[in-house]
Amino acid sequence: MFNKKGLYVFMLMFVLSIALIACGGDSDDAGNGADTDAETDSGNDDAAASGEQINLKFAHEEGQGDVQDLYANKFKELIEEKSDGNITVDVYTAGQLGSNMDVLQSLQTGAIEIAITSPGFSGDVIPESQIMAIPFLFSDNLEVNKKVLNESEALYGPLAEKYEEKGITPFKFWLEGFMWWTANKEITTPDDMKGVKMRTMPTSLIIKSYELMGANPTPTDSGEIYTMLQTKGIDGQENPLFYVYSSNFHEVQDYLMDSKHHIYTTVTAANQDFFEGLSQENQDLIREVVKEVNDWSFDMQDEEAEKALEGIKTEDIEIVELTSEQRQAFKELSLDAREEYKKESDAAKEIIETLEKEIEEAEAELGE
């Protein structure tokens, strides 16, 4: 039998055992509670995503005051207003975050959230995007091009999928106006183009297109064009009219050719992981604002082109408008570029054949 001292010891041990069991139960409950709290926090994050503070780094390929910069700042204005300041935007112009290729890579890795990137720089990463670089593919009617870029099944189906495979979510393809040639000689025929060191963007299909037209294509980063023209490292270049003017290329070139050989198209896109990690409400808001800015940008770029032309006319440069016959001669030489594009993949063949049909249908609807 137990004496009193033994009984006390036994009772103490019994109480401690019960306490330890209770603590173990509390520990399990605490673990479960922590999981519940984590789930609750996650749920709250999702539910309150529209109220959380999001900062977007938005990079583009052009200088301050150029079309892409106006576009990016319009996006900033609208998204900050519509989100009640919960989404803020820092806009980065060309060169601030490296070269245009650096911007594309940063978009892929998530170092920046949103960017405007053109197929002229993305072509080697997304070969199918080079469709936007094919000369004489789009219409001479900008309204037709606007409709196609807004609605195209080719662009927002198989082409968009190719962007997504590279970790990029494309929102909208849009245009910045017709491309113009500048050079130190008048270029109106393929003979005039022979041997001309024509600056191009570093995309294989653009290079191939200029080879077909007789030029000596010379890939050059945007920030180096003026110096290369000035030092005769290149003889000419192509760009939208506003960019010719804002970059002062007319100061170091003798001729400006209204060739309408191409429209400058670009795409507003986001890092895929970042975008898909947002609440549905914020995803919808960003898409809504991009659409609104796109609609606004069509008139904006037209106004910028008109202002640029008026400014250029005051300078000592000759403006030459190619006739339809002269343009046709260049078009015929460049047609093999379409066949080169089709060789990229089955998707490329589908994209260009669908897009050609969409352009033809839009021209019939709106009038060429």
Side-chain angles (χ1 to χ4, degrees):
M1 294 184 63
F2 290 101
N3 57 28
K4 287 185 178 180
K5 183 175 180 180
L7 181 61
Y8 290 151
V9 171
F10 175 81
M11 291 179 66
L12 179 60
M13 291 176 66
F14 179 80
V15 171
L16 287 172
S17 298
I18 295 298
L20 288 171
I21 292 171
C23 288
D26 288 345
S27 178
D28 289 343
D29 290 344
N32 292 337
D35 290 344
T36 302
D37 289 344
E39 291 170 4
T40 302
D41 289 344
S42 176
N44 287 340
D45 286 345
D46 290 339
S50 61
E52 68 182 345
Q53 190 66 36
I54 300 170
N55 180 255
L56 305 178
K57 292 184 287 293
F58 191 147
H60 63 78
E61 301 169 343
E62 296 171 359
Q64 187 173 4
D66 283 336
V67 164
Q68 290 186 15
D69 192 52
L70 296 174
Y71 182 110
N73 278 284
K74 186 68 171 179
F75 176 89
K76 170 183 170 68
E77 173 193 332
L78 292 178
I79 200 77
E80 290 181 352
E81 175 186 331
K82 290 176 180 288
S83 70
D84 294 325
N86 291 319
I87 300 178
T88 57
V89 181
D90 294 326
V91 175
Y92 296 88
T93 58
Q96 286 186 300
L97 300 179
S99 70
N100 292 326
M101 283 302 298
D102 292 331
V103 168
L104 178 64
Q105 291 166 2
S106 294
L107 183 64
Q108 285 185 279
T109 62
I112 57 177
E113 288 77 26
I114 296 184
I116 299 171
T117 180
S118 67
F121 295 104
S122 65
D124 289 339
V125 177
I126 309 166
E128 289 80 6
S129 72
Q130 293 183 94
I131 191 167
M132 299 303 189
I134 297 175
F136 301 101
L137 174 62
F138 284 91
S139 176
D140 292 348
N141 184 336
L142 286 182
E143 289 289 345
V144 167
N145 297 327
K146 178 186 178 185
K147 177 179 175 62
V148 171
L149 292 175
N150 272 334
E151 304 172 4
S152 172
E153 292 181 9
L155 302 184
Y156 298 107
L159 181 56
E161 290 171 4
K162 293 301 177 181
Y163 277 82
E164 289 162 358
E165 288 174 8
K166 300 298 183 179
I168 297 172
T169 298
F171 297 132
K172 277 292 184 180
F173 293 90
W174 53 286
L175 61 87
E176 298 185 45
F178 287 114
M179 299 282 269
W180 294 57
W181 287 325
T182 69
N184 286 325
K185 61 182 287 190
E186 184 175 348
I187 299 175
T188 57
T189 69
D191 281 343
D192 297 332
M193 184 68 84
K194 285 181 180 178
V196 172
K197 290 181 289 185
M198 183 66 71
R199 177 267 173 175
T200 69
M201 289 181 280
T203 291
S204 59
L205 194 59
I206 297 179
I207 294 169
K208 178 66 175 179
S209 297
Y210 273 97
E211 288 174 345
L212 290 169
M213 289 189 287
N216 179 13
T218 308
T220 309
D221 194 67
S222 303
E224 300 173 354
I225 298 174
Y226 184 93
T227 301
M228 289 286 282
L229 289 171
Q230 190 177 41
T231 59
K232 313 301 182 187
I234 52 177
D235 302 317
Q237 60 84 48
E238 62 166 7
N239 257 302
L241 199 57
F242 78 87
Y243 198 75
V244 171
Y245 185 58
S246 68
S247 299
N248 298 314
F249 298 153
H250 56 286
E251 294 179 352
V252 287
Q253 298 271 261
D254 297 326
Y255 292 89
L256 173 68
M257 272 67 66
D258 182 4
S259 53
K260 291 187 174 64
H261 64 285
H262 188 40
I263 56 170
Y264 191 82
T265 56
T266 191
V267 61
T268 305
N271 173 268
Q272 189 175 49
D273 288 342
F274 160 76
F275 185 69
E276 292 181 354
L278 296 175
S279 69
Q280 189 62 51
E281 182 178 355
N282 280 333
Q283 289 184 35
D284 292 344
L285 178 59
I286 289 174
R287 289 189 183 277
E288 173 193 328
V289 171
V290 168
K291 182 181 184 306
E292 187 172 342
V293 177
N294 260 42
D295 292 341
W296 168 84
S297 74
F298 186 75
D299 291 332
M300 176 268 287
Q301 64 82 22
D302 195 41
E303 292 170 3
E304 292 299 307
E306 289 181 10
K307 288 192 291 186
L309 185 57
E310 290 304 310
I312 289 173
K313 284 179 178 178
T314 65
E315 304 292 335
D316 186 21
I317 186 170
E318 186 171 342
I319 300 173
V320 180
E321 183 177 356
L322 273 66
T323 66
S324 57
E325 292 79 11
Q326 289 169 333
R327 295 178 63 253
Q328 184 63 29
F330 284 105
K331 179 178 180 178
E332 289 174 1
L333 288 175
S334 70
L335 287 176
D336 281 349
R338 303 190 190 197
E339 299 306 313
E340 286 291 321
Y341 177 78
K342 291 178 183 179
K343 295 176 185 177
E344 290 289 349
S345 64
D346 290 340
K349 187 173 185 294
E350 177 189 358
I351 291 165
I352 192 168
E353 289 177 352
T354 304
L355 187 61
E356 287 174 329
K357 183 179 178 182
E358 290 172 334
I359 293 169
E360 183 180 346
E361 290 174 348
E363 285 180 334
E365 178 183 342
L366 299 176
E368 186 172 356

